[in-house]
Amino acid sequence: MAAGRRTVAARVAAFLAAASLALVTGAAGAAQAEETPLRDLADRHGLRMGVAVSSHLLDNARYADIAATQYNSVTHENSLKWESVQPQRGQFNWSGADRLVDFAQANGQDVYGHTLVWHSQLPSWVSNGGFSGPELEQVMEEHISTTVGRYRGDIDYWDVVNEAFNEDGSFRDSVFHRTLGEGYIATALEMAHEADPNARLFINDYNVEGINAKSDGLYRLASSLLAQGVPLHGVGLQSHLIVGQVPSSMQANIQRFADLGLEVVITEVDIRTSTPASQQALQQQANDYRTVFEACLAVDGCGGVTVWGVADPHSWIPDTFPGQGAALPYDDNYQPKPAYWAMHEALGGGQTDPGPDPDPDPDPEPGDGSCDVDYTVVNQWGQGAVVDVTVRNTGDAAVNGWRLTWTQPSGERITNAWNATVSQSGSSVTAEGVSWNGTLAPGASTSFGFQLTHTGQAGTPSGFSLNGAACG
């Protein structure tokens, strides 16, 4: 049996959870209209639409909902880095990494493992251990084989080596390069391949998005490794960019790596600006995100794009570049920015921002309240849960000012909601449409969501009625 964490039964359960989630669309922030999520658009192109996720932030319902509904791939932002996984030799901590893998499997997502060998976020017992060459190779082997082996079959993509180059294309001075020379990169790839022969293995770096001295160094290394038969399957272009400064040679650079037979992935894109961001800067940022996506889409060997964080409040940028930020597609209030709609449009989703209905029905009929309801628990932990509700008008007339009522299971309290106004008295709950979704045409549906507390397991509600008429 493989050393991975999952059984066949668990995989089936994950598939069923993903199928259930697929019934719910648009609840993660397309607040002005029901829109096809980014992940569904990316699926049409065969792309991974990814996001970096911090496991501890999954307790934030809005954060978790966006990560689940908009993205078909997740990357561990920090919980798979060496200092997190193995802070002391032989003492492994899997809690954060496991939680994100569980989240991904429950939501039908790929997992991109980040990262195995890196000079930064490295525990001092490795960086200052004074190991000889053979000893350091043994340390690497223990870490890589244990980590990749644990997630064999669960994590299919790995940043095996991260940030190996200086800006001039020479190799970075790290404990690995000082002790083992540039051969440490091939050694790490071979160790990862042995731990999981089916995983796809990448080298990842920043400031290599365009054709320059640093990306030339990466290109030379990739060519050499392939010539040696080393198991290298792709390169990651991090793409921590500045508004207005997307390299003009980005598509050509992606193409030259793809021409080597490698998969190219945009692994960590964010596009920062001075804060507070002006409307002009946000529009340029949207244009820049579109340019990045178009560069990937133009090359058959580009496997996808990952944004480095769910929303601006949790971005690494302000702490590292004071006075800069606003780098992600969702703002401080978890609302989609122009950058989101640019991504949406680049993936074939239509107009950049749907806005209000340009030709609303001025006087719709009240309707008879006939409906179907899908009530889905999309995420659950401890004594909390996130729920998405989709209500469909099955009557033959529009419902103007819809109001959905139901009975919540005993002990459950709704704490906050989005895309509807939700109130609760005892076990009786009422949800009412808001300005952008208050009318349901015949056959139309809308989705809203909320967070609740429970006493151990979220239950099943009963007695759904739309404007006083029982739902089917």
Side-chain angles (χ1 to χ4, degrees):
M1 179 178 291
R5 302 165 58 246
R6 295 292 181 270
T7 64
V8 172
R11 293 182 189 281
V12 172
F15 173 82
L16 293 175
S20 180
L21 177 68
L23 296 173
V24 184
T25 61
Q32 294 180 336
E34 288 187 58
E35 286 293 321
T36 305
L38 295 174
R39 62 182 291 169
D40 292 351
L41 297 173
D43 284 343
R44 297 173 188 174
H45 297 278
L47 294 178
R48 291 190 300 283
M49 179 70 252
V51 63
V53 174
S54 289
S55 298
H56 71 281
L57 292 175
L58 292 174
D59 288 333
N60 178 323
R62 193 81 169 105
Y63 180 101
D65 193 40
I66 293 171
T69 58
Q70 291 293 330
Y71 300 98
N72 61 18
S73 173
V74 294
T75 297
H76 294 79
E77 190 165 3
N78 286 296
S79 55
L80 266 177
K81 291 173 180 174
W82 200 316
E83 69 175 6
S84 300
V85 168
Q86 194 184 182
Q88 300 295 328
R89 188 171 187 177
Q91 297 179 12
F92 290 86
N93 176 12
W94 307 110
S95 57
D98 278 1
R99 185 177 186 188
L100 186 55
V101 171
D102 291 340
F103 176 85
Q105 292 187 337
N107 293 300
Q109 296 166 306
D110 289 333
V111 184
Y112 192 103
H114 177 80
T115 177
L116 295 170
V117 178
W118 185 30
H119 71 278
S120 186
Q121 292 184 248
L122 192 64
S124 61
W125 72 266
V126 180
S127 56
N128 300 315
F131 296 112
S132 67
E135 289 171 338
L136 186 57
E137 276 202 22
Q138 180 61 32
V139 166
M140 285 174 52
E141 198 281 330
E142 291 169 359
H143 183 76
I144 292 172
S145 65
T146 303
T147 304
V148 176
R150 178 177 182 80
Y151 297 106
R152 181 171 176 168
D154 291 332
I155 297 181
D156 295 323
Y157 309 88
W158 285 96
D159 282 337
V160 177
V161 176
N162 195 44
E163 299 178 3
F165 289 94
N166 295 314
E167 296 304 307
D168 64 359
S170 62
F171 286 98
R172 180 189 292 275
D173 179 32
S174 69
V175 65
F176 303 106
H177 188 266
R178 283 196 305 275
T179 308
L180 300 169
E182 65 184 75
Y184 84 90
I185 298 172
T187 298
L189 289 162
E190 288 163 351
M191 290 173 175
H193 181 67
E194 184 172 348
D196 186 353
N198 294 318
R200 293 183 62 78
L201 310 179
F202 289 72
I203 299 173
N204 189 52
D205 218 319
Y206 66 94
N207 289 352
V208 293
E209 296 75 36
I211 297 176
N212 55 33
K214 192 172 188 178
S215 65
D216 284 347
L218 177 59
Y219 184 84
R220 287 191 298 270
L221 173 65
S223 300
S224 174
L225 292 171
L226 292 172
Q228 297 170 52
V230 174
L232 174 67
H233 305 110
V235 295
L237 314 182
Q238 290 186 15
S239 304
H240 296 296
L241 303 172
I242 300 172
V243 164
Q245 298 185 29
V246 178
S248 60
S249 58
M250 188 170 192
Q251 181 179 326
N253 193 42
I254 295 172
Q255 185 68 63
R256 69 168 174 166
F257 282 102
D259 288 343
L260 293 175
L262 294 172
E263 181 179 357
V264 183
V265 178
I266 312 300
T267 50
E268 304 181 21
V269 66
D270 49 32
I271 306 179
R272 64 184 184 271
T273 186
S274 298
T275 51
S278 66
Q279 284 302 119
Q280 181 179 3
L282 292 176
Q283 188 55 56
Q284 181 60 53
Q285 181 185 66
N287 295 338
D288 292 341
Y289 268 98
R290 183 182 294 107
T291 298
V292 169
F293 272 75
E294 289 175 347
C296 178
L297 287 164
V299 180
D300 287 342
C302 187
V305 179
T306 289
V307 295
W308 201 247
V310 170
D312 285 338
H314 309 294
S315 170
W316 68 288
I317 295 291
D319 289 339
T320 305
F321 301 97
Q324 299 183 58
L328 294 170
Y330 280 83
D331 66 16
D332 286 340
N333 296 313
Y334 298 94
Q335 295 302 308
K337 293 155 64 175
Y340 170 89
W341 296 111
M343 293 160 55
H344 200 272
E345 183 181 48
L347 289 169
Q351 57 188 347
T352 49
D353 188 338
D357 183 353
D359 186 24
D361 184 347
D363 188 23
E365 294 295 325
D368 63 6
S370 301
C371 68
D372 286 329
V373 175
D374 289 315
Y375 181 100
T376 305
V377 178
V378 296
N379 192 22
Q380 187 167 183
W381 62 93
Q383 294 185 329
V386 174
V387 174
D388 274 39
V389 180
T390 298
V391 55
R392 181 181 300 277
N393 176 13
T394 59
D396 56 6
V399 177
N400 182 26
W402 64 265
R403 184 179 68 259
L404 186 70
T405 59
W406 70 90
T407 301
Q408 200 69 21
S410 176
E412 296 189 2
R413 297 294 303 175
I414 295 172
T415 57
N416 59 79
W418 47 92
N419 289 349
T421 300
V422 180
S423 58
Q424 182 173 0
S425 176
S427 59
S428 298
V429 180
T430 300
E432 298 178 281
V434 288
S435 59
W436 57 83
N437 67 359
T439 297
L440 287 176
S445 64
T446 191
S447 297
F448 61 95
F450 53 82
Q451 183 175 356
L452 59 78
T453 60
H454 56 74
T455 57
Q457 184 75 23
T460 303
S462 60
F464 283 101
S465 295
L466 182 65
N467 289 24
C471 296

